[in-house]
Every structure is written in structure tokens, then in C-alpha cells.
Amino acid sequence: PAMACSPPEVSKFPTVRLTGFFQADTAWFHQSERNIAAVGGAEDGSDFRRARLAAVGNVWDNVAYSLEMDFGFPGRPSFMDVWVDMEDVIGDVNLRVGQFRQPIGMEGLTSVKELTFLERSLPFALIPFRQVGAVAYGTASDDLMTWAVSGFRFPTDVYGGSVGENGGYGTAARVTGLLVDREPGNVRFHVGGAYSFIDPSNDLLQYRSQPEVFVSETGGGVPAAVAVNTPFFVDTGIIDAEHTNLFGAELAASAGSFYAQSEYLVSVVDQIGGPTVALPGAYAYAGYFLTGEQRSYDKKNGVFGDVVPNCSVDKDGGIGAWELAVRYSYLDFNDANVQGGRLSDITAGVNWHWNPHTKFQLNYIHAMLDSPVNGDSDASIFAMRAHLDF
Amino acid sequence: PAMACSPPEVSKFPTVRLTGFFQADTAWFHQSERNIAAVGGAEDGSDFRRARLAAVGNVWDNVAYSLEMDFGFPGRPSFMDVWVDMEDVIGDVNLRVGQFRQPIGMEGLTSVKELTFLERSLPFALIPFRQVGAVAYGTASDDLMTWAVSGFRFPTDVYGGSVGENGGYGTAARVTGLLVDREPGNVRFHVGGAYSFIDPSNDLLQYRSQPEVFVSETGGGVPAAVAVNTPFFVDTGIIDAEHTNLFGAELAASAGSFYAQSEYLVSVVDQIGGPTVALPGAYAYAGYFLTGEQRSYDKKNGVFGDVVPNCSVDKDGGIGAWELAVRYSYLDFNDANVQGGRLSDITAGVNWHWNPHTKFQLNYIHAMLDSPVNGDSDASIFAMRAHLDF
Amino acid sequence: PAMACSPPEVSKFPTVRLTGFFQADTAWFHQSERNIAAVGGAEDGSDFRRARLAAVGNVWDNVAYSLEMDFGFPGRPSFMDVWVDMEDVIGDVNLRVGQFRQPIGMEGLTSVKELTFLERSLPFALIPFRQVGAVAYGTASDDLMTWAVSGFRFPTDVYGGSVGENGGYGTAARVTGLLVDREPGNVRFHVGGAYSFIDPSNDLLQYRSQPEVFVSETGGGVPAAVAVNTPFFVDTGIIDAEHTNLFGAELAASAGSFYAQSEYLVSVVDQIGGPTVALPGAYAYAGYFLTGEQRSYDKKNGVFGDVVPNCSVDKDGGIGAWELAVRYSYLDFNDANVQGGRLSDITAGVNWHWNPHTKFQLNYIHAMLDSPVNGDSDASIFAMRAHLDF
């Protein structure tokens, strides 16, 4: 049959662009005595939270790719977005194969270059995030809606590997909608819902979280008595799990220079030899630009987008963009036999965007821990970041 | 004396091009009881078999380079082609210094981006492959012949390092010829021969092989009882070796959309305190393009080249290139006191080339093992790959 | 107030350039019996001393960056120059944040692509080199002077991390001046002075050095009895140190094809529970181009710059640049209770620069060790390097 046919000329492809970013962090921890007793001492320190290089581009008119490595994350380097994207495979449906962020969790799907605070909120610990698999995705209603359905191996290690027995599979789906989308005034109202079923390999599952900030030194040279990593404040330990059902709900809005975002996530774990437990978390935050910028919205992915200062700091002066933000988040790992602790964080942040690619961030975090064994305790954390992307 | 002289203008050089590729694999293993007893259990899984970034280019009109790292191979990253090439050093002779694939083994010298099956054939376990050293190479008879002679350190580790005593040197040489080369009809007949002498450092030598497929998870999180790597099916163990002589013979041919390739390799090991042992291996395979493409031939390197679909899959449709292939290969590690097993594999493969840079591969492998202790056993393996290069 | 303001157009930035280099080394060691007894055996070997990829560029008219990784250094990859540079922050003052070479030590601040010998001189062991922090820097007197003042975390590990207690901070400052700067004839006379105060984290400090050459194999496969790294010839062991004061003095000069450089460095360590000890080192070297080239001087950084052959080796011939050099250096780690040894090296070198980006280096090193326990001993080392940068 006559068939549409790309000639074998290969002069135009592949295209390749080198991109990347890094984030240099410094943190100081002030823990109460009881907090040290509960989780161990957290040492002050500096490190590169992330340092990434990626090759991205197209190898044909309908095939795009990303090959991204992170040199700061344990694994060094760790596999990040490594995928091939096939556009319009059937109608408007796109298909992605490789390692990518699974479609659940608005904050997890927001680019780490565009996060309002140094770290994602506590409930981030619950989502599968980057796993190896395949996802079908697209938009609808003139890009006012997004949808995605994926299948993946679980868990995937830092090198994109997943082996094991008794499971090792998961699926996730997410739908978002912009109920309001008025460009003049930047007035938007976003709702979203997501679900994931995970049958972990080897029937093992573990959730844990640091207090929304951490520094580490793992290159050696630290005496045995000194902690090289910021301790986990909450930790379920290893759960013998048949599978888990994860549910997520999203609300977000913007108006002028103001924006806000909130999510609720809960993992309902079907234990082997134990009761079903529900491990919930939630957060809400708001940000405001003192210098008049507006937070953009990424309609392809159904998340907030980048910040472009009205008046970047340049050779002739310029004030950059100044942003204030506050957040509340919690994670509750206490249910039946799982007693991993309950953690609430209040965070205040100031972001100084020098230009669209350089920013300095300041976070003050007050972490309140309810530990099953050690009771209530708290910690105050002061942290800074220099961020540059290219 | 008057001398030809490059002016010190440096505006044209260096040139640099970012290139790379990745391969995402998934494999399912079905082993007989006796096979599990012989080699251990092989877990199903997914991983990135390879993920590479390379900078390649020229720093002068006669000096080229490659600096290539693989993020998927243990070592993470591992050194791959890292060399400086000096062209026409004496007459038409080129000289390469650094880490490169030693000139023995047609399949070993074929780009891993152009392999017909997921993995190279079993006898690949015998060749030195990438080692640190120097090689002189060139072509003759209007590019109908290739030749190469190298000296190298052996063994070189994944970071390009080689230290030790009592040896640690090797040499290799390869000659190939195109006895028939008729472009209309793609009719070619290739013969080749190669030899390598290796005096391994610390007088230690070991050969082993997985069954032409493997997946691994080495980032942690796997319980002790679960194998994180596909087991080696044949393994000589560590041999106290004075040196070894490696011989290779190559035959390959193409005609229209059909092509075939075969090699025989044997390592004759001079043991310390033991008899000389001969460890042979061989393979033969054939491929055919259902969609009319022809397998190209790389005259510079004396190996088969890339596949360019007549009709790539693009936005307007297109079927891509469809290729069928079968292979038989074996490796015999049983001789005198060396009892590493005898392995034969039969493989059937289907390749779907979307475009010159994207393909999907499907392999069914039937592995037949003759283990000295456990006797005959077999395994069936089903594996898939998504490949993208740029 | 009316304010200079960059429009939010982002079309021009970021810029990115992929750059890098690698160095393939081979070394042969001849130790006296007593030297082997004192430090252990040094194995012959080859390795990649350095293999780097970096993304460098600008993200705005006043903001530059470097994201550089080394794949050859332990850590694999290790963080190298990873910083954001903000130009003309206040007047002519530039500010750099991230990981960078601290401003002390002329040879330490010379690009490793431009070193006269394979390794920096022995006193290099004393300087803090790359640490995470911030530095203000600039030039004065029509670029005849350079200055820099930094604050940093100490020690920083190979991944740019630094955590710990009881200190972990340092500061450094350097001033240089060109007392003579006559371009015709390349007549220059450089003086410089530097100071650094370091309060090491966990109150631990250690200095040690290999004999100006080393090779290693750390990818595994080496028997336990064989050293995988060239041993340290001098080593203070771990010193319980309150803090240290480091002083440096620099002299350098060039005239036509001749150039020379010398430094004296001393670390005055305030021990906990022990006396203050002074650990000095110094070196002097001279180089001469047989082929008439002149060593350039980098006025921005106050160090010697690159070498551009008058007559590069190209397709039509060309001799390249030929350079001879000699060096004497020493390091004295014997003072009071610290008995780390005293090492003197004499080195003779030949460099063949093929073109501005490719060179081959040959070093003969005679190392003379005075070990507190084993007395005088020596080693002769012959080493080669192939260097390529792009």
C-alpha cells in the first residue's frame, strides 16, 4: 500500500542540547535535647544538593529524548530523566519509555528548578517518583486538562535498575483540570487527582523523611562518631507489604503575584501478617512576589512553571525578583503496628531571583516531631541555597 | 630547514560534539530446577544496560579524540572510548593512544549501537576488548583491507587503570579483507583473522559469561537472599596463568537484505603449575530485513555498520524497518583442570527500527548448559530493549 | 525609583559550552630496598590521571558558571570547579559561590592543563585547594595586581560535601603583583603572598604526599597483596588540631623562552594536647622552549598561562613545541611529635606540545626520603603522559 514515508536523509537529526543545573546548600540545625535523643544529632554542613548534566533533543520529528545524570545525589551519578518520547503515537497520545517521574503528586511533578522551598513537602516521601516504565499521556479541552497513565517496575534503584521477585510492579494515573484560566491577572484554579497501585518487589516497602532539609558528606574522612547525613525524623522501618494503594488530591490557585498549592496523599498499605495501615500526609503553601512577578503555569504538565524576574540583576543594576513564601506540611507514620512517628513542619522562605537562571533561597524550618518512644520534640533549621541552571 | 608550519591561530579548534545513547532492558527468566541448582536463581528485572555520554571532536587538523563515559555499567561511570587519534603519523598509518577496543573480534569491534541482538555472542567473553594502550592502524587496497596492531596493559579496570606485577601487558593484531564488494545488490564477502598474546598482571586470568542477557540492581535495597545480578552460567574461576594466546577467525557476508556473520575464537592458556588448556567459542548468525533495507558495511573498521530504515516512523505514519535474526553460539570452558562449564545458546530476534536512531528489540534465548557438577540444564529467557542514540 | 532593568527576554541566555580534557599516564617505579621497607612497594602501571567534562557559560550578562566533573579521580566522578560567578557585584569586585580553588598557592591556581610537570610540586600537599565557599576577587593597577579573599568549609569531600562539628571553616587571601611586565621579550617578574587560617571540622588534620607521580587501579580485580595505589611517601597521620595558619610566598619570572617559578609554604599547626608544629615545603623550577615559544602569563589569575606552539604538528609536518624543565621540591613533616618524614624530589622533564591542545610529557623523578623509622632511602620514577584538552 502507498505509505507516508520519511526519506532516509538523516542530516537534520539527531539534535542535542547540553543542559543542567546545580544547587549548593548550607544548613544549620538546632535540635532540642529530646529531638537528639529521638533521631540522633544532625550536623551542620554544606553540600551540593543536586548537580546535573543532561543531553536532550530530538532524533526524529516525532521522537524526543532525555539522558540526565545527577552527580550530587547518592549513587553519584544517579539516573534521573532517561527516556525516549514518542509523540502522537495514536491520535494525540504520547508514549514515554524509560525512567521518569510517575504521574502522581503535583509537587513531585514540578521541576526541581522551580520549587518554592529548598525541598519538596513532607508527603513527597509517599510518592513513587522516578521509576522505570512506560507512560501514555496527553492533554485535552484546549490544554485545560492533562492526563497520564503509567506502568512501572518498583522499586527502581539510583541506577535505573529493578530486579526481584514476588511483585515489583506498579501503575499510576493522574488527571488535572484548570477550572479557571484567565490570563489577564494570572487568575487560575487547578484541581487534580491521582491514584497508584504498587506491588513492591520482594514484598518490602519503607517510607521515611528528613525534615525538609538535609546535607551530607559521603566522600569519606568523617570520624565514626559524627553523622555524615541528616537523620530521618520519621521512618516506618521495613514493612512486609503485599501491596499499597496510594491516593492523591491537588488544589492550586494563582491571582496576580500570589499563588498557593496544596496536596493530600495517603498510602493504604496491605501488610503481610498485619492489619491494613493508612499513612497520610498533606501540605499547603503560599507565595507572593514583592516585585510584581507572576507565577507561570505549565499546561502540558499541569503544574506551576518558572519565574522570570521583571527586572533581572545585571551589569547596570536591577533588583531581581523577591518572593516570600510560607508552608505547613505533615506526615503521619503512626498506625497500628507501624510506629514511624508523626512530623509537622512550618517553613518560611525568601527567594531572590537574580535572573531566570540564578536564585538564592533562604528557608527557616521549624520541625515538630511526635515520636512514639521519645514523645514530642522539635528542631529549628536555617538553610540557604545558591541555584544556577543552564 | 624550511618546515611546513601551522600558524598559531587557534580559532578553528577544538571542535566538540556531544553524543551518546541509552538502552533500557527488561528480561524474564525461566530456569529448569537443575539450572537453578547449577548457577543460582536469575531474577526478572529491568535496568539500563548502557547509558553513555561522550565528547568527540578534533583539536587540530590531524588530531581527533573521544572522551566517553558509561553510566549504566558497573563502575558508574565507567571509562569507554577515551583516546587521542593522530592521523597519518607515518604515511597512511594512524596512531591511537588511550583506552580503546583492542583489534581482535569482529563482533567486539562492531558498535554496540549496531548489534543485531541484545548482547554480543558468548565467545565475546574471550577477547580483551577495551584496554589502555596504543594501536597503529589503517586500510589498504582501496579500503578493501583493514589492519591494526596494538600493545596494551592487561587487565584494565573500569576506570582505565592497570597496576600490578609479573606482567600486565598484551598485544593484538587483526587483518580483514573484502573478497567480494559489489555495491549494487549489497553483495559482500568478508574474511578476517586476529591474534592476541596476553601476559596478565599478577598472573591471574578469568573468563566467565552470562547467557547473552543480564539485568542488575546494584543501587541497594535488595534483600540478601535475592540475586542482584543475573548469574554467570559459565566461569573458569581464577586461573594461575603465565600467559595466553588468543586466536580468532571471521567470516561475514551480505546479499541484498540478507546478512550473516560468524566467528571462531580460542584462548590457549599456559597455566602455572598446570597443563596448557584450550578454551574455544564460536557463533554464527543471520539477519534479514522484511522491509527491504540492506545492512551497511564499515570499511574503515572492517565490521558491519548502521541500519537506515527506508521508511522511518514519523508524524505522518511510516512502518520503520523490520528485521528478523537467528543465532547459535557456544563457549566451552571445560579442559583438564579447568571445569567452567559448556554453554550453548540459540537466539531468535526481532528488531523494529523506528528511525536511524531509535529501535526496539525482542530476543528469545534458549540457553543449554553442561555443568561439570550439575550436568545438563537449560533456561529460557525473554528480553526486550528500547534503544536511542544521538 | 527609576532603575536599570533587564527586560525579561531570555533568548540570549543561557549559553553553554562543553569542554574537558584527559591525561593518560604510565609510570615505572624503581625503589631501593629500604624505600620499600619505609613506604611499601609501588607497582608499575597505567591509568587516567584526570578525565573531565565541564559545562561552562553564562546565564546572564553578569553571571557565569562552571559545572565540572572528573571521572578519573577517586570519587568517580568527583566535583571540580562547580561555581556561579557574579561579576562586578560592587564596583569591580567579583563574587564566586560554590566549589573552587581557594586563593593560596601559585602552582595550585595554575590550570592543570598548563602544568610544566606531570604533578604539582610536593608543597601542594599543604594547600586547601578546592573547597566549598565564597570568594571575592579582582584585579588592580591595570591588571598588574590580583587579589582574592575567601571563606570556606573545610574539609570538603570529593562530592563537594562538608559536615561535622567543632569547626569546619577556613579563610584564605592572596595578593600578587607584576613588578616587571615588558611584552617585547616576554620579560616578567611576579611576586605573591598568601595566608590561610583553617579550623578543621572535628579538629582533625592530615597532610600526606605521593612522590609527584602516582597511578592506581581501584576498579577491583587486584589481589590483596598487590598495592592498588602508589604509596604516600610522607604522611603526618591524623593530627588533633585546633586550627592551622598557612603562609605562602611566590616568586616567578620569564624572559623570552625561559621561565621560572618558586614557592615557599608552611603550615603552623596548633595541636590539641601537643606543641605547635611547623610543616614547611618549597619548590623551584625552570623551563625553556627549544623551539622558541614563550610562556604566557594569565593576568586575571596571577599565574602562568598556556603554551601555543609556533609550529604545530599537522598533516603537512611541523615540529611542535619542545620544552625542557627541571625542578627541586621538598616537604618536611618532621617536627616534635609529628614525624611524617622528609621528602626531596629532583625532576627532569621533556614536553612535546603537538598543538595547543595535545602534548606528550616525560618525567624522570628522583625521590629522596628521610623516614623517621627507616632512615634515608630513595626511588627513581620514570613516567609519561598523553594529554588532550578541548
Side-chain angles (χ1 to χ4, degrees):
Chain A
M3 183 169 290
C5 192
S6 286
E9 277 90 16
V10 294
S11 56
K12 207 176 147 196
F13 297 105
T15 65
V16 56
R17 190 165 63 86
L18 176 62
T19 180
F21 65 95
F22 61 84
Q23 299 173 331
D25 287 7
T26 293
W28 291 270
F29 296 86
H30 303 275
Q31 299 170 278
S32 67
E33 294 282 316
R34 204 183 279 178
N35 189 256
I36 294 175
V39 302
E43 301 292 343
D44 299 345
S46 298
D47 73 357
F48 285 95
R49 175 63 179 87
R50 297 179 180 89
R52 295 196 192 163
L53 290 175
V56 298
N58 290 276
V59 299
W60 212 251
D61 70 351
N62 58 341
V63 180
Y65 68 90
S66 170
L67 174 40
E68 183 188 31
M69 294 289 149
D70 188 313
F71 297 89
F73 194 75
R76 295 181 169 93
S78 296
F79 280 62
M80 294 288 132
D81 283 342
V82 185
W83 42 254
V84 46
D85 229 19
M86 289 153 284
E87 292 161 30
D88 303 338
V89 170
I90 302 165
D92 292 340
V93 177
N94 307 302
L95 184 66
R96 179 173 292 187
V97 174
Q99 176 165 296
F100 52 86
R101 291 179 286 181
Q102 299 304 321
I104 179 165
M106 185 181 185
E107 202 181 28
L109 293 165
T110 302
S111 168
V112 83
K113 295 188 282 188
E114 314 302 347
L115 295 181
T116 300
F117 301 93
L118 295 200
E119 296 295 328
R120 293 184 174 97
S121 310
L122 293 174
F124 176 66
L126 295 170
I127 68 172
F129 206 51
R130 283 198 183 86
Q131 306 288 333
V132 169
V135 60
Y137 67 98
T139 59
S141 305
D142 288 335
D143 289 353
L144 291 179
M145 289 186 65
T146 75
W147 64 270
V149 181
S150 76
F152 53 91
R153 306 297 286 241
F154 184 93
T156 301
D157 73 9
V158 291
Y159 307 118
S162 174
V163 308
E165 48 195 17
N166 301 324
Y169 296 91
T171 183
R174 178 177 181 246
V175 179
T176 72
L178 267 187
L179 301 191
V180 180
D181 178 44
R182 293 209 305 265
E183 188 47 45
N186 196 37
V187 181
R188 289 198 179 87
F189 188 73
H190 160 113
V191 294
Y195 167 73
S196 177
F197 172 87
I198 295 175
D199 178 5
S201 72
N202 310 309
D203 288 336
L204 302 177
L205 200 60
Q206 181 174 21
Y207 296 119
R208 54 187 186 175
S209 183
Q210 288 155 320
E212 289 179 337
V213 142
F214 61 93
V215 288
S216 67
E217 174 178 340
T218 54
V222 180
V226 177
V228 298
N229 282 293
T230 302
F232 293 95
F233 276 40
V234 285
D235 188 344
T236 62
I238 293 174
I239 303 173
D240 290 320
E242 198 70 73
H243 55 253
T244 186
N245 289 277
L246 181 61
F247 303 89
E250 312 165 7
L251 285 179
S254 66
S257 294
F258 172 86
Y259 65 98
Q261 179 173 328
S262 178
E263 275 188 277
Y264 175 82
L265 286 154
V266 60
S267 177
V268 182
V269 182
D270 184 1
Q271 292 189 90
I272 297 172
T276 295
V277 291
L279 308 172
Y283 72 87
Y285 69 77
Y288 182 75
F289 293 96
L290 300 176
T291 41
E293 287 78 9
Q294 299 182 343
R295 186 73 190 267
S296 69
Y297 184 88
D298 172 357
K299 289 190 178 177
K300 194 184 162 200
N301 296 303
V303 296
F304 278 124
D306 59 351
V307 175
V308 178
N310 292 331
C311 195
S312 289
V313 178
D314 70 7
K315 292 225 167 186
D316 303 318
I319 196 176
W322 286 84
E323 179 183 7
L324 298 180
V326 291
R327 175 169 70 184
Y328 172 78
S329 65
Y330 84 93
L331 205 43
D332 186 352
F333 285 167
N334 292 346
D335 191 11
N337 62 313
V338 174
Q339 291 290 312
R342 191 180 291 124
L343 179 63
S344 306
D345 274 13
I346 293 174
T347 304
V350 180
N351 299 329
W352 184 18
H353 304 256
W354 264 48
N355 56 53
H357 305 289
T358 312
K359 68 181 169 187
F360 300 91
Q361 295 182 277
L362 204 67
N363 276 193
Y364 169 80
I365 300 163
H366 188 69
M368 295 159 286
L369 175 65
D370 174 7
S371 166
V373 177
N374 297 70
D376 288 351
S377 68
D378 55 8
S380 294
I381 309 162
F382 190 76
M384 304 190 307
R385 169 172 294 170
H387 167 105
L388 182 137
D389 60 78
F390 57 89
Chain B
M3 184 169 288
C5 192
S6 286
E9 277 89 17
V10 294
S11 56
K12 208 175 148 195
F13 298 105
T15 65
V16 56
R17 190 165 63 86
L18 177 63
T19 181
F21 65 96
F22 62 83
Q23 299 173 331
D25 288 6
T26 293
W28 292 270
F29 296 85
H30 304 275
Q31 299 170 277
S32 67
E33 293 283 317
R34 203 183 281 178
N35 190 256
I36 293 175
V39 303
E43 301 293 343
D44 300 344
S46 298
D47 73 357
F48 286 95
R49 175 62 179 87
R50 296 178 180 91
R52 295 198 193 162
L53 290 175
V56 299
N58 290 276
V59 299
W60 212 252
D61 70 352
N62 59 341
V63 180
Y65 68 90
S66 171
L67 174 42
E68 182 187 33
M69 295 289 147
D70 188 313
F71 298 89
F73 194 75
R76 296 186 168 90
S78 296
F79 281 61
M80 294 288 133
D81 283 342
V82 184
W83 43 254
V84 46
D85 229 18
M86 290 153 284
E87 291 162 30
D88 303 339
V89 170
I90 301 167
D92 291 341
V93 176
N94 307 302
L95 184 67
R96 179 173 293 186
V97 175
Q99 176 166 296
F100 53 86
R101 291 179 286 181
Q102 299 303 320
I104 179 165
M106 185 181 185
E107 203 181 28
L109 293 165
T110 302
S111 169
V112 83
K113 293 186 283 188
E114 314 301 348
L115 295 181
T116 300
F117 300 92
L118 294 201
E119 297 295 327
R120 293 185 174 98
S121 310
L122 293 174
F124 176 65
L126 295 170
I127 68 171
F129 206 49
R130 282 198 183 86
Q131 306 287 333
V132 168
V135 61
Y137 67 98
T139 59
S141 304
D142 288 336
D143 289 353
L144 291 179
M145 290 185 63
T146 75
W147 65 270
V149 181
S150 75
F152 53 89
R153 306 299 285 241
F154 184 92
T156 300
D157 73 9
V158 290
Y159 306 119
S162 173
V163 308
E165 49 195 17
N166 302 324
Y169 296 91
T171 183
R174 179 177 181 246
V175 179
T176 71
L178 267 187
L179 302 189
V180 181
D181 179 43
R182 293 210 305 266
E183 188 47 46
N186 196 38
V187 180
R188 289 199 178 86
F189 188 72
H190 160 113
V191 295
Y195 167 72
S196 177
F197 172 85
I198 295 175
D199 178 4
S201 73
N202 310 308
D203 289 336
L204 301 177
L205 200 62
Q206 182 174 20
Y207 297 119
R208 54 188 187 175
S209 182
Q210 289 154 320
E212 288 179 336
V213 142
F214 61 92
V215 288
S216 67
E217 175 178 340
T218 55
V222 180
V226 177
V228 298
N229 283 292
T230 302
F232 292 95
F233 275 39
V234 284
D235 188 344
T236 63
I238 293 175
I239 303 173
D240 291 318
E242 198 70 73
H243 55 253
T244 187
N245 288 277
L246 181 62
F247 303 89
E250 312 165 8
L251 285 180
S254 65
S257 295
F258 172 87
Y259 66 98
Q261 179 173 327
S262 178
E263 275 188 277
Y264 175 82
L265 286 154
V266 60
S267 177
V268 182
V269 183
D270 184 1
Q271 292 189 90
I272 297 173
T276 297
V277 292
L279 309 172
Y283 71 86
Y285 69 77
Y288 182 75
F289 293 97
L290 301 174
T291 40
E293 287 77 9
Q294 298 181 344
R295 185 74 191 267
S296 68
Y297 183 87
D298 172 357
K299 289 190 177 177
K300 195 186 161 197
N301 296 303
V303 296
F304 278 125
D306 60 350
V307 175
V308 178
N310 291 331
C311 196
S312 289
V313 179
D314 70 6
K315 291 225 167 187
D316 303 318
I319 197 177
W322 286 85
E323 179 183 7
L324 298 180
V326 291
R327 175 169 69 184
Y328 173 78
S329 65
Y330 84 92
L331 204 44
D332 186 351
F333 285 165
N334 291 346
D335 190 11
N337 62 313
V338 174
Q339 291 291 312
R342 192 181 290 125
L343 180 62
S344 305
D345 274 14
I346 294 174
T347 305
V350 181
N351 299 329
W352 184 18
H353 304 257
W354 263 49
N355 56 53
H357 305 288
T358 311
K359 68 181 169 188
F360 300 91
Q361 295 182 277
L362 205 67
N363 275 193
Y364 170 80
I365 300 164
H366 188 68
M368 295 159 287
L369 174 66
D370 174 7
S371 166
V373 177
N374 297 71
D376 288 352
S377 68
D378 56 7
S380 295
I381 309 162
F382 191 75
M384 304 189 306
R385 169 173 294 171
H387 167 105
L388 182 136
D389 60 77
F390 58 89
Chain C
M3 185 168 288
C5 193
S6 286
E9 277 89 17
V10 294
S11 56
K12 207 177 148 195
F13 297 106
T15 66
V16 56
R17 189 165 65 86
L18 177 63
T19 181
F21 65 97
F22 61 83
Q23 300 174 330
D25 288 6
T26 293
W28 292 270
F29 295 85
H30 304 276
Q31 300 170 276
S32 68
E33 294 284 315
R34 204 182 281 178
N35 189 255
I36 294 174
V39 303
E43 301 292 344
D44 300 344
S46 298
D47 73 356
F48 285 96
R49 175 62 179 88
R50 297 180 180 90
R52 295 198 193 161
L53 290 175
V56 298
N58 290 276
V59 300
W60 212 252
D61 69 352
N62 58 341
V63 181
Y65 68 90
S66 171
L67 174 41
E68 183 188 32
M69 295 289 148
D70 188 312
F71 297 90
F73 194 76
R76 294 182 169 90
S78 296
F79 281 62
M80 295 287 133
D81 283 341
V82 185
W83 42 253
V84 46
D85 230 18
M86 290 154 283
E87 292 162 30
D88 303 339
V89 170
I90 301 166
D92 291 341
V93 176
N94 306 302
L95 184 67
R96 180 173 292 186
V97 174
Q99 176 165 296
F100 52 86
R101 292 179 286 182
Q102 299 304 319
I104 180 165
M106 185 181 184
E107 202 181 29
L109 293 165
T110 302
S111 168
V112 83
K113 293 188 283 188
E114 313 302 348
L115 294 182
T116 300
F117 300 92
L118 295 200
E119 296 295 328
R120 292 186 175 97
S121 310
L122 293 174
F124 177 65
L126 294 170
I127 68 172
F129 205 51
R130 283 197 182 86
Q131 305 288 333
V132 168
V135 60
Y137 67 99
T139 58
S141 305
D142 287 335
D143 289 353
L144 291 179
M145 291 185 63
T146 75
W147 65 271
V149 181
S150 76
F152 53 90
R153 305 299 284 242
F154 184 92
T156 300
D157 73 10
V158 291
Y159 306 118
S162 174
V163 307
E165 48 195 17
N166 302 324
Y169 297 91
T171 182
R174 178 179 182 245
V175 178
T176 71
L178 267 187
L179 301 190
V180 181
D181 179 43
R182 293 210 305 266
E183 188 48 44
N186 197 38
V187 181
R188 289 198 179 87
F189 188 72
H190 160 113
V191 295
Y195 167 74
S196 178
F197 172 86
I198 294 175
D199 178 6
S201 73
N202 310 308
D203 289 335
L204 302 177
L205 200 61
Q206 182 174 20
Y207 296 119
R208 54 188 186 174
S209 182
Q210 289 154 320
E212 289 179 336
V213 142
F214 61 90
V215 288
S216 68
E217 175 177 340
T218 54
V222 180
V226 177
V228 298
N229 282 293
T230 303
F232 292 96
F233 275 39
V234 285
D235 188 344
T236 62
I238 293 175
I239 303 173
D240 291 319
E242 198 70 72
H243 55 254
T244 186
N245 288 279
L246 181 61
F247 302 89
E250 312 166 8
L251 285 179
S254 66
S257 294
F258 172 87
Y259 65 97
Q261 179 173 327
S262 179
E263 275 188 277
Y264 174 82
L265 286 154
V266 59
S267 177
V268 182
V269 182
D270 185 1
Q271 292 189 90
I272 297 173
T276 296
V277 291
L279 308 173
Y283 72 87
Y285 69 77
Y288 182 75
F289 292 97
L290 300 174
T291 40
E293 287 78 9
Q294 298 182 344
R295 186 73 191 269
S296 68
Y297 183 88
D298 173 356
K299 290 190 176 177
K300 196 185 161 199
N301 295 303
V303 296
F304 278 125
D306 60 351
V307 175
V308 178
N310 292 330
C311 195
S312 289
V313 179
D314 70 6
K315 291 224 168 189
D316 303 318
I319 197 177
W322 286 84
E323 179 183 8
L324 298 180
V326 291
R327 175 170 69 183
Y328 172 78
S329 65
Y330 84 92
L331 205 44
D332 186 352
F333 285 168
N334 291 348
D335 191 11
N337 63 311
V338 174
Q339 291 290 312
R342 191 181 291 126
L343 180 62
S344 306
D345 274 14
I346 294 174
T347 305
V350 181
N351 299 329
W352 184 18
H353 304 257
W354 264 49
N355 56 53
H357 305 289
T358 311
K359 68 180 168 188
F360 299 91
Q361 295 181 276
L362 204 67
N363 276 192
Y364 170 80
I365 300 164
H366 188 68
M368 295 159 287
L369 174 65
D370 174 8
S371 165
V373 177
N374 297 71
D376 288 351
S377 68
D378 55 7
S380 295
I381 310 162
F382 191 76
M384 303 190 306
R385 169 172 294 170
H387 167 104
L388 183 137
D389 60 78
F390 56 89

